[in-house]
Amino acid sequence: MFKRTHTCGELQKVNIGDTVSLNGWVNTVRLHGQVVFVDLRDRYGKTQIVFNADSFSGDFEAVKKLSMEDVLSIKGQVKPRAESAINPNMATGEIEVVVENYIMLNEAAPLPFVISDRDNAEENLRLKYRYLELRMEELQRNMLIRHETYQATRSYLSAEKFVEIETPMLMKSTPEGARDYLVPSRIHHGKFYALPQSPQIYKQILMISGYDRYFQIVKCFRDEDLRADRQPEFTQIDMELSFIDEEDIYSTMEGLTKHVFKQVRNVELSGSFPRLTWAEAMDTYGSDKPDLRYGMELKDVKEFTNASDFNAFKSAERVMAIVVEGGAKYSRKIIDELTDYVKKYKAKGLAWMKGENGGFTGGISKFFSDDLHQSMRKELGVNDGDILFMIGDISSITLNALGHLRVEIAKRESLTKKDDFKPVWITEFPMFEYDEEADRFIAMHHPFTAPREDDIGKLDSDPSNTLSRGYDLTMNGYEIAGGSIRIHSQKIQEKVFSLLGLSREEAIEKFGFLVEALTYGAPPHGGIAFGFDRLVMLLAGTENIRDVIAFPKTTSATSLMDESPSNVSLDQLDDLRIQIKQSEK
RNA sequence: GGGAUCGUAGUUCAGUUGGUUAGAACGCCGGCCUGUCAAGCCGGAGGUCGCCGGUUCGAGCCCGGUCGGUCCCGCCA
């Protein structure tokens, strides 16, 4: 091999006359009989190298056999290109390297797909040959953005006195929350470790141990069904701080977020991030992770529908609407599609009417008097050419369905710009959700989340309306971080456990040492964790988490490249005293 | 656990109402070609239509099941 003197992205006119060596992959071959052009590629770029039968002393017949993705080492002289041969689309397009000698380092077998753009192959094939797909420019760019995000995070947090500490990957299985990935113990037959869903307990312990400000960029594991933005193993920027309140969290995390966006994308996120309470977010956007890049807020129309002759909404707990500017263009077919869309979220239907000639037409408009038409147009800001969509149901269904409709319409109408980033804090989450199936309260965030000071009394009197000191940072419709101020009082912790149906003994059994540790001098503390992959998705401008993970899994949690999960040998199972049950049926 | 959708050459796709020998482009192989940069021109090879079963005189196409990919609901403290 000729050790490279340059990468494939750097040679310029100033290098003309130099003898250089390049190493890289054959990106394309253009064969013209007695002259062969090859674009040699590495992760820094591409350079055109030229084999000319007149000047090349080696075996020219072999040169003619070069094919895509062969790995070459070449030595040659940098030459200027003729004016007409300059390629302005290439960073190195003003020069070429005339090859004097080359070594075939690895001849590539015929490829399962062409490595130019990702549409050339379906995803299952690209995942099987992920090492080939990772050669593509788009993924190399994403991996670089991810790398820069790690670096920006570490440098910022370290400068802010955060200490990076690793916590165990083999830990105790905890109930509540997501399903754990389990790891059987060989030494303790029948016992299992769990892979962390998050290092929650350890980081609180670290606060009790006095480490003040902790962070870790860490893998977490949740054995749940997947989505476009969810993988079974994913990465968090996990943080915990002592002697702080919400304001410290907000300002520190805004600083981190701004630093990352500036360093990685040169985007300035100016000022303090806006805040919405959970109730405001739900009422205004029908979502606890609202996309603030566009308006289309939800409007309460119950008083109007009550005054109309439209009876289907009379018994609805909540009737809300959104106004779509220019939406009167929607055909029956599109409205039917949108109706099917909201039905996924349990809405019974989608009522509509179009603004026209100073009033409303179509849909359910005939059930509303002319006076109602006028007051609704004025109150809701409807103009000719707009459409009003309404949903009536119990509050949670109305808000959720309309919130999703808002996002769907924004997508159809292309209301978002990729380089627009709109962060917003969501605060004052409810402490508990009622689980109908289990007939008990479950923690909305987790069992260590503190209630608001003002709401501590409600733990006894009105638990379902107790608000917590939890917070999420959301951006463009994604939850990118979530956390809370923790309970540091043993008394309140026990109260919360009992509301969750856990005795002190059960709590110690289930949450291990943390409960006991809280009794030995726990400082007030709180923390937050960023979904690192989602953050990188936003920075990279992709909507798919697999685009920002080097070796992702499919939606059925398999790896098509290494074919995991897989069977293991009987010996391995014997060591663990594990026997596989035959599946039922 | 449920719903939607996709699966045809190495790859991306087309394939009519169920009817003779399943097509195109790119890639691959061979030939021509000294200035291309998606090089061009000529020729060739390449198919268990995901798999199993059914309906039919006849299935890539219709039906049932199954496997795999994707998206969504549930789930994800």
Side-chain angles (χ1 to χ4, degrees):
Chain A
M1 182 176 71
F2 305 115
K3 284 245 168 124
R4 62 183 172 189
T5 56
H6 299 79
T7 68
C8 294
E10 66 175 310
L11 291 172
Q12 296 297 322
K13 268 157 103 175
V14 296
N15 302 103
I16 286 167
D18 295 353
T19 295
V20 299
S21 297
L22 298 176
N23 300 157
W25 286 262
V26 171
N27 196 70
T28 45
V29 182
R30 294 178 292 279
L31 172 64
H32 289 247
Q34 299 307 301
V35 61
V36 178
F37 300 98
V38 171
D39 290 338
L40 199 66
R41 185 198 73 235
D42 62 18
R43 78 174 172 91
Y44 305 94
K46 289 179 227 168
T47 300
Q48 174 165 289
I49 62 175
V50 186
F51 296 84
N52 192 311
D54 291 342
S55 59
F56 183 71
S57 55
D59 178 0
F60 203 75
E61 288 309 305
V63 170
K64 289 181 176 178
K65 304 284 184 207
L66 289 175
S67 62
M68 289 190 292
E69 300 305 309
D70 290 341
V71 183
L72 297 186
S73 180
I74 65 115
K75 185 176 235 171
Q77 198 173 33
V78 182
K79 295 266 175 76
R81 294 201 200 182
E83 190 70 32
S84 61
I86 287 175
N87 185 345
N89 301 319
M90 226 171 152
T92 60
E94 290 187 304
I95 56 90
E96 62 192 11
V97 177
V98 177
V99 179
E100 288 154 17
N101 209 343
Y102 84 99
I103 300 168
M104 169 72 79
L105 297 173
N106 188 283
E107 192 176 342
L111 301 165
F113 52 86
V114 179
I115 303 177
S116 52
D117 79 276
R118 301 177 71 202
D119 296 333
N120 275 343
E122 279 192 356
E123 188 158 13
N124 54 355
L125 201 67
R126 286 184 276 126
L127 286 173
K128 182 175 175 187
Y129 299 96
R130 185 64 165 180
Y131 41 89
L132 297 180
E133 190 186 17
L134 281 167
R135 290 181 190 168
M136 293 185 196
E137 199 176 342
E138 183 183 338
L139 284 183
Q140 297 213 337
R141 172 183 161 271
N142 290 353
M143 290 307 123
L144 213 63
I145 287 173
R146 190 174 175 113
H147 162 76
E148 283 162 2
T149 308
Y150 293 130
Q151 306 315 316
T153 300
R154 288 211 163 90
S155 64
Y156 185 86
L157 292 177
S158 186
E160 292 287 319
K161 303 276 184 284
F162 283 76
V163 183
E164 183 168 4
I165 301 176
E166 289 185 79
T167 53
M169 298 303 275
L170 295 175
M171 62 177 287
K172 184 183 174 71
S173 176
T174 54
E176 315 257 328
R179 197 175 290 114
D180 283 325
Y181 273 99
L182 297 175
V183 180
S185 164
R186 177 182 57 83
I187 298 170
H188 305 281
H189 296 144
K191 294 190 175 179
F192 293 82
Y193 301 97
L195 302 179
Q197 297 174 27
S198 84
Q200 182 63 37
I201 291 173
Y202 294 111
K203 66 174 174 174
Q204 290 192 240
I205 296 273
L206 286 169
M207 294 304 103
I208 294 167
S209 302
Y211 288 87
D212 212 40
R213 291 181 157 215
Y214 140 92
F215 89 100
Q216 185 179 192
I217 299 177
V218 62
K219 273 285 180 76
C220 302
F221 304 84
R222 293 179 190 176
D223 190 359
E224 296 291 346
D225 289 343
L226 306 175
R227 287 288 188 285
D229 64 346
R230 284 180 358 208
Q231 281 275 298
E233 51 178 313
F234 62 99
T235 304
Q236 287 189 344
I237 308 170
D238 193 46
M239 290 166 277
E240 195 79 11
L241 304 80
S242 292
F243 306 115
I244 48 94
D245 61 20
E246 289 88 335
E247 293 304 325
D248 299 298
I249 295 275
Y250 297 154
S251 62
T252 310
M253 294 307 126
E254 288 177 18
L256 170 64
T257 307
K258 288 177 184 182
H259 180 75
V260 166
F261 274 79
K262 177 67 184 168
Q263 292 293 308
V264 178
R265 284 290 308 273
N266 199 27
V267 167
E268 304 274 0
L269 299 174
S270 54
S272 292
F273 296 172
R275 300 175 194 176
L276 289 170
T277 66
W278 179 81
E280 285 168 347
M282 292 307 298
D283 281 352
T284 316
Y285 301 100
S287 171
D288 58 3
K289 46 186 184 197
D291 192 335
L292 297 195
R293 289 176 296 175
Y294 47 88
M296 240 194 315
E297 285 93 349
L298 277 52
K299 308 259 170 79
D300 194 322
V301 293
K302 181 84 170 126
E303 58 169 310
F304 298 117
T305 56
N306 276 352
S308 75
D309 299 323
F310 189 69
N311 291 322
F313 284 159
K314 291 285 163 64
S315 59
E317 181 188 359
R318 203 83 186 268
V319 186
M320 303 287 281
I322 56 172
V323 180
V324 181
E325 264 181 59
K329 68 185 175 197
Y330 287 163
S331 62
R332 186 75 223 185
K333 180 168 168 283
I334 289 175
I335 294 171
D336 284 348
E337 284 170 13
L338 295 172
T339 305
D340 286 343
Y341 185 80
V342 298
K343 282 180 178 171
K344 287 197 302 190
Y345 303 96
K346 306 269 169 20
K348 292 181 190 70
L350 182 61
W352 57 275
M353 40 197 190
K354 293 175 176 178
E356 192 182 301
N357 297 329
F360 280 107
T361 58
I364 62 167
S365 62
K366 65 184 173 194
F367 297 103
F368 293 75
S369 69
D370 286 347
D371 281 353
L372 271 176
H373 283 181
Q374 291 314 311
S375 53
M376 285 174 79
R377 282 181 63 119
K378 189 156 172 266
E379 196 75 20
L380 305 172
V382 179
N383 294 308
D384 282 356
D386 298 347
I387 192 167
L388 183 72
F389 285 118
M390 287 162 280
I391 292 174
D393 212 303
I394 60 169
S395 187
S396 59
I397 289 177
T398 301
L399 296 173
N400 186 44
L402 209 53
H404 279 98
L405 180 66
R406 172 178 176 269
V407 173
E408 172 66 15
I409 287 173
K411 204 163 144 193
R412 285 170 177 255
E413 298 297 321
S414 305
L415 298 182
T416 58
K417 284 189 305 229
K418 265 196 175 162
D419 290 335
D420 192 16
F421 298 101
K422 287 280 192 301
V424 53
W425 288 103
I426 309 299
T427 66
E428 298 185 18
F429 283 83
M431 279 288 281
F432 308 106
E433 287 172 297
Y434 197 72
D435 184 341
E436 302 285 349
E437 266 177 51
D439 190 29
R440 67 176 182 95
F441 287 112
I442 52 172
M444 188 145 169
H445 185 52
H446 60 55
F448 313 108
T449 298
R452 288 176 69 214
E453 299 284 343
D454 297 347
D455 286 22
I456 287 172
K458 284 190 189 166
L459 289 175
D460 288 313
S461 61
D462 189 8
S464 57
N465 283 317
T466 313
L467 297 178
S468 80
R469 295 178 73 182
Y471 34 76
D472 280 355
L473 179 58
T474 75
M475 193 184 278
N476 296 7
Y478 288 96
E479 180 195 329
I480 60 168
S484 63
I485 303 297
R486 325 298 184 188
I487 299 168
H488 69 280
S489 142
Q490 199 189 332
K491 210 174 133 195
I492 294 174
Q493 186 66 70
E494 282 182 16
K495 168 67 68 184
V496 170
F497 279 146
S498 80
L499 281 165
L500 295 172
L502 295 171
S503 69
R504 181 179 162 79
E505 289 69 32
E506 285 171 320
I508 288 176
E509 160 61 22
K510 289 179 172 174
F511 296 107
F513 33 84
L514 176 60
V515 178
E516 189 182 9
L518 283 170
T519 68
Y520 290 110
H525 62 288
I528 191 164
F530 277 67
F532 187 81
D533 311 278
R534 284 184 193 160
L535 183 62
V536 177
M537 282 166 66
L538 282 165
L539 291 162
T542 175
E543 292 185 353
N544 197 308
I545 197 169
R546 295 185 298 278
D547 289 349
V548 298
I549 294 176
F551 301 104
K553 297 205 168 31
T554 67
T555 48
S556 60
T558 65
S559 170
L560 296 179
M561 188 179 75
D562 56 50
E563 296 183 314
S564 69
S566 62
N567 296 320
V568 296
S569 71
L570 275 178
D571 285 348
Q572 287 173 292
L573 290 176
D574 281 348
D575 267 352
L576 300 166
R577 301 287 198 277
I578 285 178
Q579 190 177 9
I580 308 297
K581 281 168 77 175
Q582 292 305 308
S583 58
E584 288 157 40
K585 84 175 173 180

